[in-house]
Amino acid sequence: MSKFWKYFLFLSWMSYLLVCGVLVFSRGFLLRRQVQPEKSFCSDNVYCSGSADPGIESECSSSSSPLQHLLKEEDLCSQGRAKVILIVIDALKHEFASFLDTQEPKPFQNRLTVITDALSQEPDNARLYKFIADPPTTTMQRLKGLTTGSLPTFIDMGSNFASTEINEDNLIDQLRGKGKKAVFMGDDTWTGLYPRRFEREFPFPSFNVWDLDTVDEGIKLHLQPEIEKNDWDLLIAHFLGVDHCGHRHGPFHSEMTRKLDEMNTVLSNVMNTMDNETVLVVLGDHGMTKTGDHGGESEDEVTAALFVYSRLGLLPSNWSPKGTTVRQVDLVPTLATTLGIPIPFSNLGSVIIDSLPKTNLRRAVHPLPDWKYALLSLWSNIRQVVNYIETYSTRNNEFTSDKLQTSLKMYSSINDLVKNVLTEEEFVVMTKQGFDFLSGLRIMCEKVWVQFDTFSMTWGLIFTFVVLFCLFLLIEAMHGDKLNFVASGVQLTVVYIGLVLSAVVSYILSLFRIISNFEKAYFISTFGTSFLVLALILAQNSNTILDKWTDTPRSRSYLGMIWRIVCLFSLWAMVSNSYVMSEGQLLSFFLVSLMCTLVYSYRIPKDVGARPANKPAKSMLGWLKQQIHPTRLRMVLVTLAVSALLRATHQYWRCRSEEAGCKGQSSFQQSEPKKKGDLSADPHCLIMLICSGLWVTFTRMWLRSCGNLSGYSVTVLFARYAPTVITVCSGSFWVLQGLPGETRGRMFKQWQLQILPWTVYALSGLTIISLAFCPLCVFVVRNKRKSKSLSVSTSANLIPQLYNQMKQIISGQSNDADPSETPGVNPVVYGLATAYSAAFTVLAMVLVPVMGLLLGSRWSPAIMLCACAATLLLLLISMLRFENAVVSVQLLSTSWPAVVCWSLLAQYAFYGTGHQATFSSIQWDAAMVGTSGNIASSRFFPGLLVIINTFCSHILMGLLLPLLLIAPLTLRVMRPRWAAVAVGDQELTQGELMLYQREDLMYRSLTTLSARYIFLQGLRSLACMFSATIHARHLMVWAIFAPKFIFEAVSLFVTLPCVLLAYVFVGRISKSVDSLLNTLDAGGETPSKSSQNKR
Amino acid sequence: MFFSPQEDPHSIQVIKFYCGSTCLYFPLLTILILCTDLMYKTGRFSFLPYLGLIVLAEFMKSIFINNYIKEPEKLAGRNAPKLGGTGVRKWFSEKRLKDFSKILVLLGLVTIGYFIIAILFGAELFSKYEETFMLSSLLMLLTALPPCLYLGPNYALGAILGDEPSSLNPLSPIFQHVVRITLLGVWLGAFVIPLDWDRPWQEWPVPCCVGALMGYVAAHASALIQVAIPRCLTHGIASKLKI
C-alpha cells in the first residue's frame, strides 16, 4: 500500500469514528417520543340524540338523571353538532387578528376587519383566542400537533421537508372511521401527512417561498364551490401567502397589507356563504418574528391567533376557565367534540368549552342542555387523556410512579365529583378542577418527554473523547522525525475489514431478531474493533510517543502559550449561553488576538535586522519609517488588513431573536418596499457586483502572473472563462430578482430566469470535473531558443525583443508537432512552479461565486471578504513560516497556531456570512435558487443547496486546507523578497515542485495538517456535546445549546469529507505532475528548472 | 523568569526604584478608581484629569531617576558647574525640541493605533468614540509614555513592539514586560463584556480600563519581585535543578 493511501485510510478511519461518536451522542440527546398505535373509538349512539336507537332513548326520557347514566358509559361519544370549516392561515399571528386602536397602524395591523366586526357585533357567535403553539414552530410539526393533539419532540423538526405520513391516531382518520368526509385544499404538506384520506383534495406546492399567490389563488378558486357542495363534514383550507410574505418581505412590508386584505375578503366571503350548521375556525399554525421567520420558541413565534365563528351561537365564555389564551393541542378535542367523533388517542389538549356550538335543534331531537353537553365533552376528554397516560406508562417506565399515583388519585376524586354535578353552578366549579387536572397531566408529559437517554449520551461522549485523544497522540508523535509511523497497511486493512464485518454481522443479527437494537449493536461492534486496533497501534508506538513527550524541548515563551489559551477559551465559551449567543464576536476577537500575538512574538532575524537606526533621518516620515523594521511593518500591515476584512464582515452578522433589540434582516427582503416601477438598483446588489467582480479579477491576475492561465488545456480554458461567466450570471440573477414582482413577471417567464443559476451550476460543475481529471494549469512550450537571452537589463529595446520572442513562441508552436527538430533545447513549462496552488486557486475562484449566488445579494460580499481574509491569512502565515525555518524541509511543517488560525477563520466565517446557530436563521431561500417549479421530484438538490449556503465557510476552508502547506513555497517563488530569510536553499527556487520531489514528506505533513484540523473541529463538537450534557436541564437548552450542538455536529460532518477530498486532490495533482515530467523526460529533454517560472 | 534585566547594580537600583515607586502609588490610584464611581467614568472625557495625574506621577519619577540615580562612572567623572551649564543649555536646545515633537507625534500615532486595534477587535465602529478614545489614551499613557520619557523617541517604539532591546537603558526590558502584561489585562477584561449579567461595570470600556490598570500594577509588582527578591531564591532553585 502506498504512503498516500495509507495516510488517507488512516484519516478517513478517524473521521468515520468521530462521526459515529457524535451520532451515538445525538441519539441520546435529541429526544423522541414513542408513538402509540392505538385508536380511540366510541359507540355511535350513546346519548339521547335523534339517531339513537329507541331503547336508549326511552331510557333517556324515563331516567330521572340521564347524565349520571351517561357518565357511567365507558365509550362516550360526543354528539356531533356542526360541520367545520377549518381555515389555516399559515403564520397568522395574534397581532394580525386583534384590533388595536391606533392612529398609524403598522402594515399588518387592523387588516382583518371581518374578525373585529364579528367580535363586536355578534359577541355570542365569535371568539378570538391567543393560540399558543408548542415549539418547534415549523408548519409540519404544528400540523401534527393540530391533528393528533400530541406534543412534538425535537427530532421531528429535521424532517420538515421530508414530511412523512402520520400513523398516530388523529382527527382525519377518526373522521373517516365515522364515515364522515373531509375535503382539503392548499399547502401540500397535508397530503404528505395524510395521503389518500381526503374525499377531494387540491394540493399546491408549498416549497416556493417567493411565490406569494399561487397557493392562495388556487384555494380561492375551489373554496366557494366546495362550500356550496355541502357534502363534507370537515373542510380544510390552508393558505400560505401570509407566511411566504413574511419570509420574503417581513411583516412590515406593504405586501403583508395586501395579503391580509386578501385574507379578509376570503373570510368575509366564507362567513357570508356558510350555512347555519357550520362552525368556522380560522387559525394560524404559528406566529412570526419581526423578520418574518419562525421555527424557534420566542413569544412572537409561538403566539398565533384562533378565531371561532358560528351562527349557531357558542357556549358562554364564563364557563371556560381558560380565558382567551388556549394551547394549540386544545383544538383537537374541541373539533372532535364539535364533529362528533372520538378524541384521538394520544391527545393531550383539553376541550375549549366556550367555542363549542350551542344546541343544533335541527340535528338532535331531544338535545341535552348545553351545560350537560359541555360536561360530557370535558369528561370524555379527561377519560381519554387518562387512558392515554395509563397505556403509555405501562409500556415505558418514563413517568415516575409517585407522579402517576398523584394524578390517578386526582382522577378518582374528579370522578366522584363529576357524578354529583347536578346544576350549572356546580358544573362551572367542576370545570375548573377538570382543566387544572388536564393541564397538570400535559405539563407532566412535557417534562418527561424531555428525558434524555443517558446511556447513549455518556458513551457518545466517551467514544468521541477517546478517538480525539488517540488522534492527538498519533499526530503529535508523527510530527517528529520518525518517517514510518502510523499504522501499517495490515492494521488498516484489518480495521476496514472489521468495520465492514461489524456492520454486516449486526445487520444480519438484527434481521433475524437475535439482537433487538441494530444501531446500538452496530456502534458497539464498530468501536470495539476500532479501539482494539487503536490500542495495538498505540502500544506498538508507545516508545515513539513517550520519547516525543519527554524529549521535546518545551518552549516556555508565554506568547507561545497564547494559542493554547485561545483554544481553551473558545472551547470553554461553548458552556456559557452568553458566549454562545455572541460567538461571532468572540471568534473574530480570538482570531485577531492570535494573529496579533503571532506578529508580536515574531523575532526579526539578526543578520537581516541590522537597521540603520543611528543614522539621523531627514524628515519626520523618514524617522517614522526607521522606527519599525520593514519585515515587521509588512506583517503588521497584513495583519491589519486581515482584521479589517474580518471587521468589515461584522455588518453581515445576523442577530439572534433572543438578543434585545434584534430588528434583524432577512436574507431576501429589502429594507423598504419598492414602489411599482422603481427600477433603481439595490445598494446591496451594487456592492455584490463590485465584490464578485474584484474577486474574479484579482484571482485571475494572480493566476496569470503565476503563468497558470496560458495554454489551451481544458482546465485552463475553464479557469480563464468560467469564473467570469459565473459572476455575470449570478450577478444578473440577483439584479433581476431585485426587480419588483410585476416588472419581473412582464419581462421574463419563470423558467427564463432559472437559466442563469443553472448556467452557474453547470459551469462550476464542469470546472471542478475538469480539475479532477487534469488538475494542472501549466503550459508546455517545448521549443524555445531565445527566451533565455531576454534579460530585463536591456530594457532599452525590450519591446522589440518581446515581439521577437512572441514570434518565436508562435513559430515554436507550429513546430511543436516534431520536437526532435530542435534537440538539446530545454522545454519551458509555464506555471509549473505554482502547479499545486494554482489548482486550489482555480477551485476557490469557481466555488466562491457559486456560494455568493446561494447567499443572495445581501450576503454574497461577505463570502468574498472572508475568502480575501483567508488569502491574506495564508500570506501572513507563510511569512511567519520563514521565521524559524533553518532548512527548507522545515517549511513543510505547519505549526499549530497556523492551523488554529485557519480553523478559527472557518468557524468565524459561518457567522460572518450571515448565519447563526438557530433554526429560524437557516436561509431556506437558497433552495429556491434555480430550482423553483421543479423541486417536487427530489428534495436532495434543494437540501444540498441549503447545506452549501449554511456551511459555505466550512466547505471552502476545508477544501483549501492544503494551501496552508503549499503557500510558503508559492510565496518564495512569487515574491522572493517577502520571504527573504536565512533559508537560501537551492531547493526553494523550484517552488512547489519541491512538494513533488519530497513526496513522502509532503504526504506526512499533509496528513498531520489535516489531522490537526480535524482534531480541532472534533474538539469543538466534543465541547458542544459536553455543554449540552451539563446543560440538559438548562432553561435555554432547546433555544441555545441544542441548536448549537446540531450546527456544530453538521459542520463537522461537512468538514470531514471536504478535508479528505482536499487530501485526495493533492495526491491527484502530484500524480499529474509526475506524469507530465515523465512525458518530458521521455521526449529526451530534461526539464529546465530555472525557467519554470516564466511569466 | 519574566524578562532578563542587566545584572549590574546600577540598573538593578534603577529598576527597583522605578517599579517600587509605581507599586507604591499606582495601587492606591487603582483602588481609588475601583472603589468610587470613578470606575464608571473611565470611558468619559471627565476622566481626563485623572489621566493627567498618571502623567504627572510619571514625569516626577523620570525627573527623579534622571537626576538622583546616577551611573557611578558618570558621577565620578564630572564636575558640578559644568553640569549646570550644559543642563540649562540642553533644556532649550534644538535637539530637545525635536525630540519633544517626535515624542508628541509618536504618542499621537500610538493612540490612533490603539483606537484602530480596539475597533478591529470588535469595538463599535459608528458609536462610542468617546469610550474607545479614552481607552486608547489610557493605554497610550500606560504603555507608550514611559518608554518615550526614559528611552527617547528613537527607541520607544522598538520597546513597545518588542524588538530586541537596542537601547542600553536598564528599564528597556521592563517596558516590554509592562506592555505585555497591561495588554493582557485589557484582553482579559474584554471577556466579561458579552456576559448577560447586566452590571454597570460591564459597559465598554470599563472592564478593559480596569484590566489595563490592574495589569499595569501586576507588571510592575512582578518585575519588582523578580529583581528585588534576591537571587538567592532563584539561584537556589536553579542550582538544585542543576544537581
Side-chain angles (χ1 to χ4, degrees), chain A residues 558 569 578-579 582 585 589-590 593 600 603 623 627 632 640 647, chain B residues 119 121-123 153-154 160-164 180 187 191 194 196:
Chain A
Y558 60 117
F569 275 2
S578 334
Y579 285 145
S582 52
Q585 182 106 40
F589 181 79
F590 282 140
S593 334
Y600 187 76
R603 293 272 156 267
W623 172 75
Q627 291 299 304
R632 185 184 287 279
L640 285 181
R647 188 64 180 76
Chain B
I119 283 178
F121 266 87
N154 289 327
I160 299 172
L161 287 176
D163 287 344
E164 295 291 319
R180 285 175 198 166
W187 192 73
F191 276 86
D196 57 354

mmCIF file of all heavy atoms in Angstrom, chain A residues 558 569 578-579 582 585 589-590 593 600 603 623 627 632 640 647, chain B residues 119 121-123 153-154 160-164 180 187 191 194 196:
data_model
loop_
_atom_site.group_PDB
_atom_site.id
_atom_site.type_symbol
_atom_site.label_atom_id
_atom_site.label_comp_id
_atom_site.label_asym_id
_atom_site.label_seq_id
_atom_site.Cartn_x
_atom_site.Cartn_y
_atom_site.Cartn_z
ATOM 1 N N TYR A 558 5.881 32.757 26.897
ATOM 2 C CA TYR A 558 4.468 32.770 27.235
ATOM 3 C C TYR A 558 3.620 33.352 26.129
ATOM 4 O O TYR A 558 2.419 33.224 26.134
ATOM 5 C CB TYR A 558 4.204 33.457 28.578
ATOM 6 C CG TYR A 558 4.620 34.888 28.706
ATOM 7 C CD1 TYR A 558 3.679 35.863 28.931
ATOM 8 C CD2 TYR A 558 5.949 35.248 28.652
ATOM 9 C CE1 TYR A 558 4.067 37.174 29.087
ATOM 10 C CE2 TYR A 558 6.339 36.550 28.795
ATOM 11 C CZ TYR A 558 5.388 37.519 29.015
ATOM 12 O OH TYR A 558 5.760 38.813 29.156
ATOM 13 N N PHE A 569 -10.113 28.812 25.623
ATOM 14 C CA PHE A 569 -11.199 29.764 25.843
ATOM 15 C C PHE A 569 -12.325 29.539 24.847
ATOM 16 O O PHE A 569 -13.492 29.597 25.196
ATOM 17 C CB PHE A 569 -10.687 31.198 25.730
ATOM 18 C CG PHE A 569 -10.098 31.717 27.003
ATOM 19 C CD1 PHE A 569 -10.015 30.900 28.122
ATOM 20 C CD2 PHE A 569 -9.619 33.004 27.089
ATOM 21 C CE1 PHE A 569 -9.474 31.363 29.298
ATOM 22 C CE2 PHE A 569 -9.076 33.477 28.263
ATOM 23 C CZ PHE A 569 -8.997 32.657 29.368
ATOM 24 N N SER A 578 -24.248 33.134 27.160
ATOM 25 C CA SER A 578 -23.947 34.455 26.589
ATOM 26 C C SER A 578 -22.866 34.339 25.528
ATOM 27 O O SER A 578 -22.918 35.004 24.502
ATOM 28 C CB SER A 578 -23.458 35.421 27.656
ATOM 29 O OG SER A 578 -23.923 35.082 28.899
ATOM 30 N N TYR A 579 -21.884 33.486 25.800
ATOM 31 C CA TYR A 579 -20.804 33.355 24.825
ATOM 32 C C TYR A 579 -21.285 32.648 23.567
ATOM 33 O O TYR A 579 -20.851 32.977 22.463
ATOM 34 C CB TYR A 579 -19.621 32.620 25.426
ATOM 35 C CG TYR A 579 -18.822 33.466 26.382
ATOM 36 C CD1 TYR A 579 -18.235 32.928 27.508
ATOM 37 C CD2 TYR A 579 -18.661 34.827 26.153
ATOM 38 C CE1 TYR A 579 -17.513 33.702 28.389
ATOM 39 C CE2 TYR A 579 -17.948 35.607 27.031
ATOM 40 C CZ TYR A 579 -17.368 35.050 28.139
ATOM 41 O OH TYR A 579 -16.664 35.820 28.996
ATOM 42 N N SER A 582 -23.009 35.248 21.523
ATOM 43 C CA SER A 582 -22.162 36.223 20.836
ATOM 44 C C SER A 582 -20.918 35.541 20.300
ATOM 45 O O SER A 582 -19.826 36.058 20.405
ATOM 46 C CB SER A 582 -21.788 37.355 21.775
ATOM 47 O OG SER A 582 -21.252 36.822 22.950
ATOM 48 N N GLN A 585 -18.723 37.377 17.549
ATOM 49 C CA GLN A 585 -17.849 38.384 18.146
ATOM 50 C C GLN A 585 -16.622 37.739 18.772
ATOM 51 O O GLN A 585 -15.489 38.157 18.574
ATOM 52 C CB GLN A 585 -18.663 39.111 19.218
ATOM 53 C CG GLN A 585 -17.929 40.217 19.897
ATOM 54 C CD GLN A 585 -18.414 41.567 19.442
ATOM 55 O OE1 GLN A 585 -19.594 41.755 19.254
ATOM 56 N NE2 GLN A 585 -17.501 42.472 19.242
ATOM 57 N N PHE A 589 -12.693 38.040 17.717
ATOM 58 C CA PHE A 589 -11.789 38.546 18.760
ATOM 59 C C PHE A 589 -10.593 37.617 18.931
ATOM 60 O O PHE A 589 -9.438 38.044 18.941
ATOM 61 C CB PHE A 589 -12.590 38.639 20.059
ATOM 62 C CG PHE A 589 -11.843 39.166 21.244
ATOM 63 C CD1 PHE A 589 -11.625 40.515 21.397
ATOM 64 C CD2 PHE A 589 -11.372 38.309 22.213
ATOM 65 C CE1 PHE A 589 -10.953 41.006 22.497
ATOM 66 C CE2 PHE A 589 -10.693 38.784 23.316
ATOM 67 C CZ PHE A 589 -10.483 40.147 23.451
ATOM 68 N N PHE A 590 -10.880 36.320 19.015
ATOM 69 C CA PHE A 590 -9.794 35.355 19.198
ATOM 70 C C PHE A 590 -8.867 35.324 17.996
ATOM 71 O O PHE A 590 -7.646 35.276 18.144
ATOM 72 C CB PHE A 590 -10.368 33.963 19.416
ATOM 73 C CG PHE A 590 -10.874 33.742 20.795
ATOM 74 C CD1 PHE A 590 -12.038 33.042 21.025
ATOM 75 C CD2 PHE A 590 -10.180 34.243 21.877
ATOM 76 C CE1 PHE A 590 -12.506 32.838 22.306
ATOM 77 C CE2 PHE A 590 -10.647 34.047 23.159
ATOM 78 C CZ PHE A 590 -11.811 33.343 23.370
ATOM 79 N N SER A 593 -6.731 38.343 18.010
ATOM 80 C CA SER A 593 -5.717 38.257 19.067
ATOM 81 C C SER A 593 -4.599 37.316 18.679
ATOM 82 O O SER A 593 -3.424 37.616 18.892
ATOM 83 C CB SER A 593 -6.311 37.759 20.378
ATOM 84 O OG SER A 593 -7.627 38.031 20.504
ATOM 85 N N TYR A 600 3.454 39.809 17.018
ATOM 86 C CA TYR A 600 4.202 40.434 18.107
ATOM 87 C C TYR A 600 5.379 39.574 18.524
ATOM 88 O O TYR A 600 6.459 40.074 18.817
ATOM 89 C CB TYR A 600 3.255 40.650 19.290
ATOM 90 C CG TYR A 600 3.859 41.435 20.414
ATOM 91 C CD1 TYR A 600 4.011 42.811 20.309
ATOM 92 C CD2 TYR A 600 4.287 40.816 21.576
ATOM 93 C CE1 TYR A 600 4.572 43.541 21.337
ATOM 94 C CE2 TYR A 600 4.849 41.529 22.607
ATOM 95 C CZ TYR A 600 4.997 42.902 22.477
ATOM 96 O OH TYR A 600 5.567 43.611 23.484
ATOM 97 N N ARG A 603 10.316 37.356 15.864
ATOM 98 C CA ARG A 603 11.628 37.967 16.112
ATOM 99 C C ARG A 603 12.300 38.231 14.775
ATOM 100 O O ARG A 603 12.459 37.306 13.974
ATOM 101 C CB ARG A 603 12.490 37.035 16.963
ATOM 102 C CG ARG A 603 11.983 36.844 18.345
ATOM 103 C CD ARG A 603 12.525 37.915 19.286
ATOM 104 N NE ARG A 603 11.635 38.075 20.417
ATOM 105 C CZ ARG A 603 10.656 38.976 20.458
ATOM 106 N NH1 ARG A 603 10.457 39.813 19.454
ATOM 107 N NH2 ARG A 603 9.861 39.072 21.506
ATOM 108 N N TRP A 623 11.914 59.392 9.632
ATOM 109 C CA TRP A 623 12.220 58.971 11.002
ATOM 110 C C TRP A 623 11.256 57.890 11.454
ATOM 111 O O TRP A 623 11.642 56.887 12.043
ATOM 112 C CB TRP A 623 12.139 60.189 11.920
ATOM 113 C CG TRP A 623 12.242 59.824 13.361
ATOM 114 C CD1 TRP A 623 13.360 59.467 14.020
ATOM 115 C CD2 TRP A 623 11.169 59.755 14.287
ATOM 116 N NE1 TRP A 623 13.079 59.178 15.312
ATOM 117 C CE2 TRP A 623 11.728 59.355 15.508
ATOM 118 C CE3 TRP A 623 9.814 60.021 14.217
ATOM 119 C CZ2 TRP A 623 10.970 59.200 16.648
ATOM 120 C CZ3 TRP A 623 9.055 59.859 15.344
ATOM 121 C CH2 TRP A 623 9.627 59.438 16.547
ATOM 122 N N GLN A 627 11.650 53.696 12.500
ATOM 123 C CA GLN A 627 11.272 53.150 13.788
ATOM 124 C C GLN A 627 10.838 51.692 13.723
ATOM 125 O O GLN A 627 10.821 50.998 14.708
ATOM 126 C CB GLN A 627 10.146 53.981 14.410
ATOM 127 C CG GLN A 627 10.570 55.338 14.821
ATOM 128 C CD GLN A 627 11.661 55.304 15.865
ATOM 129 O OE1 GLN A 627 11.507 54.712 16.913
ATOM 130 N NE2 GLN A 627 12.795 55.918 15.553
ATOM 131 N N ARG A 632 8.685 43.633 9.728
ATOM 132 C CA ARG A 632 7.631 43.721 10.721
ATOM 133 C C ARG A 632 6.507 44.621 10.226
ATOM 134 O O ARG A 632 5.330 44.304 10.396
ATOM 135 C CB ARG A 632 8.184 44.269 12.032
ATOM 136 C CG ARG A 632 7.146 44.272 13.132
ATOM 137 C CD ARG A 632 7.695 44.910 14.362
ATOM 138 N NE ARG A 632 8.651 44.060 15.036
ATOM 139 C CZ ARG A 632 8.313 43.059 15.844
ATOM 140 N NH1 ARG A 632 7.053 42.780 16.021
ATOM 141 N NH2 ARG A 632 9.220 42.352 16.449
ATOM 142 N N LEU A 640 -3.269 43.871 9.897
ATOM 143 C CA LEU A 640 -4.312 44.890 9.925
ATOM 144 C C LEU A 640 -5.318 44.658 8.817
ATOM 145 O O LEU A 640 -6.528 44.801 9.006
ATOM 146 C CB LEU A 640 -3.695 46.284 9.794
ATOM 147 C CG LEU A 640 -3.004 46.816 11.045
ATOM 148 C CD1 LEU A 640 -2.469 48.211 10.788
ATOM 149 C CD2 LEU A 640 -3.979 46.842 12.207
ATOM 150 N N ARG A 647 -13.404 42.593 10.271
ATOM 151 C CA ARG A 647 -14.250 43.598 10.919
ATOM 152 C C ARG A 647 -15.338 44.056 9.956
ATOM 153 O O ARG A 647 -16.461 44.346 10.364
ATOM 154 C CB ARG A 647 -13.377 44.783 11.352
ATOM 155 C CG ARG A 647 -14.079 45.808 12.202
ATOM 156 C CD ARG A 647 -14.498 45.200 13.502
ATOM 157 N NE ARG A 647 -15.195 46.156 14.364
ATOM 158 C CZ ARG A 647 -16.442 46.534 14.183
ATOM 159 N NH1 ARG A 647 -17.131 46.054 13.182
ATOM 160 N NH2 ARG A 647 -17.020 47.386 15.008
ATOM 161 N N ILE B 119 -11.037 48.854 17.547
ATOM 162 C CA ILE B 119 -12.157 48.659 16.616
ATOM 163 C C ILE B 119 -12.016 47.327 15.894
ATOM 164 O O ILE B 119 -12.987 46.591 15.719
ATOM 165 C CB ILE B 119 -12.233 49.838 15.635
ATOM 166 C CG1 ILE B 119 -12.851 51.021 16.366
ATOM 167 C CG2 ILE B 119 -13.069 49.489 14.423
ATOM 168 C CD1 ILE B 119 -12.951 52.242 15.563
ATOM 169 N N PHE B 121 -10.687 44.728 17.020
ATOM 170 C CA PHE B 121 -11.015 43.649 17.946
ATOM 171 C C PHE B 121 -12.504 43.553 18.194
ATOM 172 O O PHE B 121 -12.966 42.645 18.850
ATOM 173 C CB PHE B 121 -10.288 43.856 19.273
ATOM 174 C CG PHE B 121 -8.991 43.136 19.363
ATOM 175 C CD1 PHE B 121 -7.840 43.711 18.897
ATOM 176 C CD2 PHE B 121 -8.919 41.873 19.901
ATOM 177 C CE1 PHE B 121 -6.639 43.046 18.963
ATOM 178 C CE2 PHE B 121 -7.724 41.202 19.974
ATOM 179 C CZ PHE B 121 -6.584 41.785 19.494
ATOM 180 N N GLY B 122 -13.248 44.523 17.696
ATOM 181 C CA GLY B 122 -14.699 44.378 17.815
ATOM 182 C C GLY B 122 -15.396 45.520 18.523
ATOM 183 O O GLY B 122 -16.579 45.426 18.784
ATOM 184 N N ALA B 123 -14.673 46.614 18.840
ATOM 185 C CA ALA B 123 -15.356 47.761 19.424
ATOM 186 C C ALA B 123 -16.292 48.361 18.385
ATOM 187 O O ALA B 123 -16.106 48.159 17.190
ATOM 188 C CB ALA B 123 -14.348 48.810 19.874
ATOM 189 N N PRO B 153 12.675 59.136 21.924
ATOM 190 C CA PRO B 153 11.767 58.743 20.838
ATOM 191 C C PRO B 153 12.361 57.689 19.912
ATOM 192 O O PRO B 153 11.619 56.945 19.283
ATOM 193 C CB PRO B 153 11.522 60.050 20.095
ATOM 194 C CG PRO B 153 12.673 60.916 20.463
ATOM 195 C CD PRO B 153 13.062 60.540 21.845
ATOM 196 N N ASN B 154 13.671 57.616 19.827
ATOM 197 C CA ASN B 154 14.255 56.722 18.841
ATOM 198 C C ASN B 154 14.131 55.256 19.228
ATOM 199 O O ASN B 154 14.213 54.384 18.378
ATOM 200 C CB ASN B 154 15.723 57.065 18.633
ATOM 201 C CG ASN B 154 15.864 58.374 17.908
ATOM 202 O OD1 ASN B 154 15.019 58.696 17.084
ATOM 203 N ND2 ASN B 154 16.895 59.126 18.238
ATOM 204 N N ILE B 160 8.116 49.144 22.605
ATOM 205 C CA ILE B 160 6.701 48.772 22.670
ATOM 206 C C ILE B 160 6.444 47.539 21.826
ATOM 207 O O ILE B 160 5.749 46.618 22.222
ATOM 208 C CB ILE B 160 5.821 49.938 22.184
ATOM 209 C CG1 ILE B 160 6.024 51.148 23.081
ATOM 210 C CG2 ILE B 160 4.363 49.536 22.182
ATOM 211 C CD1 ILE B 160 5.355 52.373 22.564
ATOM 212 N N LEU B 161 7.028 47.517 20.632
ATOM 213 C CA LEU B 161 6.744 46.428 19.709
ATOM 214 C C LEU B 161 7.495 45.151 20.074
ATOM 215 O O LEU B 161 7.269 44.104 19.484
ATOM 216 C CB LEU B 161 7.112 46.835 18.288
ATOM 217 C CG LEU B 161 6.166 47.840 17.643
ATOM 218 C CD1 LEU B 161 6.687 48.229 16.282
ATOM 219 C CD2 LEU B 161 4.788 47.235 17.516
ATOM 220 N N GLY B 162 8.421 45.264 21.037
ATOM 221 C CA GLY B 162 9.086 44.054 21.480
ATOM 222 C C GLY B 162 10.256 43.646 20.611
ATOM 223 O O GLY B 162 10.558 42.476 20.494
ATOM 224 N N ASP B 163 10.903 44.618 19.980
ATOM 225 C CA ASP B 163 12.140 44.287 19.274
ATOM 226 C C ASP B 163 13.206 43.920 20.301
ATOM 227 O O ASP B 163 13.064 44.174 21.489
ATOM 228 C CB ASP B 163 12.618 45.493 18.460
ATOM 229 C CG ASP B 163 11.756 45.706 17.244
ATOM 230 O OD1 ASP B 163 11.026 44.778 16.888
ATOM 231 O OD2 ASP B 163 11.800 46.815 16.685
ATOM 232 N N GLU B 164 14.277 43.341 19.823
ATOM 233 C CA GLU B 164 15.404 43.092 20.702
ATOM 234 C C GLU B 164 15.859 44.440 21.247
ATOM 235 O O GLU B 164 15.983 45.404 20.504
ATOM 236 C CB GLU B 164 16.555 42.452 19.910
ATOM 237 C CG GLU B 164 16.220 41.084 19.379
ATOM 238 C CD GLU B 164 16.089 40.051 20.473
ATOM 239 O OE1 GLU B 164 16.912 40.086 21.404
ATOM 240 O OE2 GLU B 164 15.161 39.233 20.401
ATOM 241 N N ARG B 180 3.330 44.014 27.681
ATOM 242 C CA ARG B 180 2.673 42.709 27.522
ATOM 243 C C ARG B 180 1.600 42.487 28.580
ATOM 244 O O ARG B 180 0.465 42.118 28.277
ATOM 245 C CB ARG B 180 3.711 41.587 27.622
ATOM 246 C CG ARG B 180 4.555 41.479 26.394
ATOM 247 C CD ARG B 180 5.616 40.437 26.621
ATOM 248 N NE ARG B 180 6.685 40.587 25.649
ATOM 249 C CZ ARG B 180 7.858 40.007 25.762
ATOM 250 N NH1 ARG B 180 8.109 39.254 26.822
ATOM 251 N NH2 ARG B 180 8.775 40.154 24.847
ATOM 252 N N TRP B 187 -7.037 42.575 27.481
ATOM 253 C CA TRP B 187 -7.605 41.452 26.733
ATOM 254 C C TRP B 187 -8.524 40.629 27.624
ATOM 255 O O TRP B 187 -9.643 40.279 27.252
ATOM 256 C CB TRP B 187 -6.443 40.605 26.225
ATOM 257 C CG TRP B 187 -6.786 39.577 25.216
ATOM 258 C CD1 TRP B 187 -7.099 39.812 23.913
ATOM 259 C CD2 TRP B 187 -6.829 38.163 25.414
ATOM 260 N NE1 TRP B 187 -7.341 38.616 23.287
ATOM 261 C CE2 TRP B 187 -7.181 37.590 24.171
ATOM 262 C CE3 TRP B 187 -6.596 37.322 26.493
ATOM 263 C CZ2 TRP B 187 -7.310 36.221 23.989
ATOM 264 C CZ3 TRP B 187 -6.732 35.963 26.315
ATOM 265 C CH2 TRP B 187 -7.084 35.435 25.071
ATOM 266 N N PHE B 191 -13.381 40.013 28.364
ATOM 267 C CA PHE B 191 -14.183 38.790 28.397
ATOM 268 C C PHE B 191 -15.502 38.936 29.132
ATOM 269 O O PHE B 191 -16.427 38.171 28.892
ATOM 270 C CB PHE B 191 -13.365 37.653 29.036
ATOM 271 C CG PHE B 191 -12.483 36.977 28.057
ATOM 272 C CD1 PHE B 191 -11.229 37.466 27.786
ATOM 273 C CD2 PHE B 191 -12.933 35.879 27.354
ATOM 274 C CE1 PHE B 191 -10.427 36.873 26.863
ATOM 275 C CE2 PHE B 191 -12.130 35.274 26.425
ATOM 276 C CZ PHE B 191 -10.876 35.774 26.169
ATOM 277 N N PRO B 194 -19.455 40.401 27.019
ATOM 278 C CA PRO B 194 -20.652 39.777 26.436
ATOM 279 C C PRO B 194 -21.556 39.054 27.432
ATOM 280 O O PRO B 194 -22.665 38.711 27.065
ATOM 281 C CB PRO B 194 -20.074 38.757 25.434
ATOM 282 C CG PRO B 194 -18.651 38.662 25.682
ATOM 283 C CD PRO B 194 -18.236 39.695 26.627
ATOM 284 N N ASP B 196 -24.300 38.122 30.176
ATOM 285 C CA ASP B 196 -25.610 38.768 30.308
ATOM 286 C C ASP B 196 -25.965 39.061 31.763
ATOM 287 O O ASP B 196 -27.056 38.792 32.223
ATOM 288 C CB ASP B 196 -26.689 37.889 29.670
ATOM 289 C CG ASP B 196 -26.720 36.500 30.281
ATOM 290 O OD1 ASP B 196 -25.827 36.215 31.099
ATOM 291 O OD2 ASP B 196 -27.625 35.724 29.950
#
